[in-house]
Amino acid sequence: MTLIKKLGLSFRYGSEYYITAGVLTLVETYCVAVDPSNIVPMNLLKLVSIPLFLYLIDHLSRKSTIYFYLNLGLSRLEIYSIPVIIEYVFFKLMLAYVSPLLSIFLINVAD
């Protein structure tokens, strides 16, 4: 199975993870945008939230759904790792997008 198909299946069947983690990412990015000194606590919160989300998704989902994903050609590791990696990259991109804006804002305020 190609990587594009795996990503498509991940987006289709892992939407509950993407939605909850995406909302947390937006809140964390907003907190960093408001106060740039929050960047370290928000990174730590992201690293702590990943195992928490995975635990909740694993325990709140029906146990028979794992066989459905295996029949699609995704391993259990891929089911859990693809959304985590994509969402963490999205979080870092959001921080990189906010950071230049913060530096421009801080320079203009100092002048």
Side-chain angles (χ1 to χ4, degrees):
M1 179 178 291
T2 64
L3 180 62
I4 294 174
K5 286 184 181 181
K6 288 182 181 184
L7 291 175
L9 289 173
S10 173
F11 282 119
R12 179 181 285 171
Y13 298 109
S15 60
E16 64 276 353
Y17 178 83
Y18 287 114
I19 291 171
T20 54
V23 168
L24 183 64
T25 295
L26 292 176
V27 169
E28 291 169 339
T29 305
Y30 176 75
C31 289
V32 171
V34 170
D35 185 9
S37 65
N38 286 336
I39 201 160
V40 173
M42 292 303 120
N43 277 319
L44 292 174
L45 180 62
K46 176 56 70 183
L47 292 175
V48 168
S49 68
I50 289 171
L52 178 67
F53 282 139
L54 291 176
Y55 173 79
L56 290 174
I57 289 170
D58 185 47
H59 282 75
L60 295 178
S61 65
R62 294 182 300 162
K63 296 300 178 188
S64 61
T65 57
I66 189 69
Y67 298 112
F68 177 72
Y69 299 124
L70 290 174
N71 288 336
L72 289 174
L74 292 173
S75 69
R76 187 177 185 105
L77 179 65
E78 290 171 332
I79 292 169
Y80 292 125
S81 63
I82 290 174
V84 168
I85 293 168
I86 289 174
E87 202 278 323
Y88 193 74
V89 168
F90 177 70
F91 173 66
K92 289 299 185 178
L93 289 174
M94 291 291 291
L95 287 181
Y97 176 74
V98 170
S99 296
L101 297 177
L102 290 174
S103 62
I104 291 169
F105 177 73
L106 292 175
I107 291 170
N108 290 337
V109 170
D111 291 338

